[in-house]
Amino acid sequence: MLTSLDFLKVGQQFPPTTEKHRLDKYHKNKLIFENQHERVYEESFKRISRVIGNFQDIVSYVVVANFQKLMSVKIADFMFGEEPIISCGDDDSKEQIAIDAIKENSELMNTCYSLAIDLSRYGDGVLNIYKDDEGKGIIDITQPSFYFKVVDPQNIKKVKYHILAHKYKVEKEYNSFTRKQNYEEFLYVEIHTKGYIDKYTYKLKGDSIYKVEDKELGIPTGLDDFAIIPVHNLLTSDRIYGIDDYSDVDSIISEIEVRLSQISKILDKHAEPSMQGPSSALEYDTSTRSYKLKVGNYFSRDSTEDPAVEYITWNAQLEANFKQVEKLINILAVISEMGSAIFDFDNKLGTAASGTALKRMLISPLAKTKRVRNNVDIALKKAIKLCSQLGGENIVDLSKEKINIFWQDGLPNDDLEEANIMNIRTGGKATISQYSAIKRLDNLTDEDAQSELDAIQAEESVSNPMNNLNAFNDLDNQNSDDEGEENEE
């Protein structure tokens, strides 16, 4: 835990020791997300070598079951698969125009999708508010590994500084004697306070801060608050950073991968069939100096005691392995809070036709998504308000206006089920016009929808003569009314 800026003094180690565990976790989870499981689970797999001596010859990482990536992507899909509606006032109000401009300038939905993935795999996400070269307010995302939080030791929920820091290298002259490219390593630091940023560039020697190369102090941000907005996944009273989704399931998934890899190796080993028979079935090959089976020839058997030339059949006893994998996946569904519907490999749940049934099967992952979404909702509203203070085209001060975010569940709508519900609630009355139905279902323009409706009405007139009679009576009544008005005149 960082409670002061002393870790940025000359002579101090960077990154500080208190942050190393968190940064190592970020790095490990990044490798997992990017399918490099053989690097992450290498130590975990060594436990099998105590049972199987030639472990490395028998088991390899031929199967990567990246359940963690699936979890992260699904959480992001539930949150932003259907774009949430962000509103502030009427559609043509200055406030709504400002929000639409912020969304477009920042590519806000793509930014938020990446934020949701970071919250799942790292437990933390970081939003950064700044003004771009064109003077437009931008809501961006920053790597959590660049982020350091300095808190009040008496109240860790009270943040004193938000810090962004990362190392980078600069090439020096090529050393022709050692034939190696030399580098100088630097540390770039931004110290954020409310309304201001201090920027430092340090030179590093090894992992230690050697000296200050450059600094800019008191740079105004144009905001009345921090330009950095951290977002956390699961956070408790005694934690500064959030809890990721991967740590709880690492051991389960590594065991699944071990079992699947073992099964694959066994099946590969016995994929090529073997044969047995008498030595007379072999012939010597002088070119290779080895004996080969004379396949396709006839081998006589003078008695039943003579061995036959035949394939050796192999009966694999893998049922216990498959049962264990199934049990592990069931445990994974519970511990990860993703439910069995997410890990439905046999498509047992794919026959569910009702949208209500699908939502019931996804109660656990939807509840988990809602927990994360509550944190994102607060941070996103704050980010939009701060971004509106930076000026730029169509951007006004929204600090006194209420921003509403209407979230979707990311699941497909069951139109038939919704229509039945509406039919029951309205007593069988129409809830949509024929014109709107044609336009929505066929994705037509206003002109095409009206043309289609006119064609339908024309066909009805031809097929039902009573419609023509009714139209004639209406015309006759209209003419009678016109004549009556002329006589009165």
Side-chain angles (χ1 to χ4, degrees), residues 244-262:
D244 64 287
D245 291 338
Y246 293 4
S247 299
D248 290 341
V249 299
D250 271 346
S251 60
I252 301 173
I253 294 175
S254 65
E255 182 67 21
I256 291 174
E257 292 185 347
V258 167
R259 293 302 155 200
L260 293 177
S261 298
Q262 286 178 325

Side-chain angles (χ1 to χ4, degrees), residues 224-236:
D224 58 9
D225 205 337
F226 291 104
I228 300 298
I229 303 177
V231 192
H232 305 291
N233 190 343
L234 186 61
L235 197 62
T236 59

Side-chain angles (χ1 to χ4, degrees), residues 88-100:
C88 184
D90 298 330
D91 292 342
D92 56 350
S93 64
K94 293 182 178 180
E95 292 79 12
Q96 187 61 45
I97 293 174
I99 287 180
D100 293 339

Side-chain angles (χ1 to χ4, degrees), residues 164-188:
L164 299 180
H166 69 274
K167 298 179 179 180
Y168 66 95
K169 294 181 179 180
V170 176
E171 292 184 359
K172 295 176 63 177
E173 293 182 0
Y174 179 75
N175 191 326
S176 58
F177 180 75
T178 61
R179 297 182 179 180
K180 292 183 179 179
Q181 180 67 56
N182 293 329
Y183 298 91
E184 286 185 323
E185 194 165 16
F186 295 88
L187 175 66
Y188 174 76

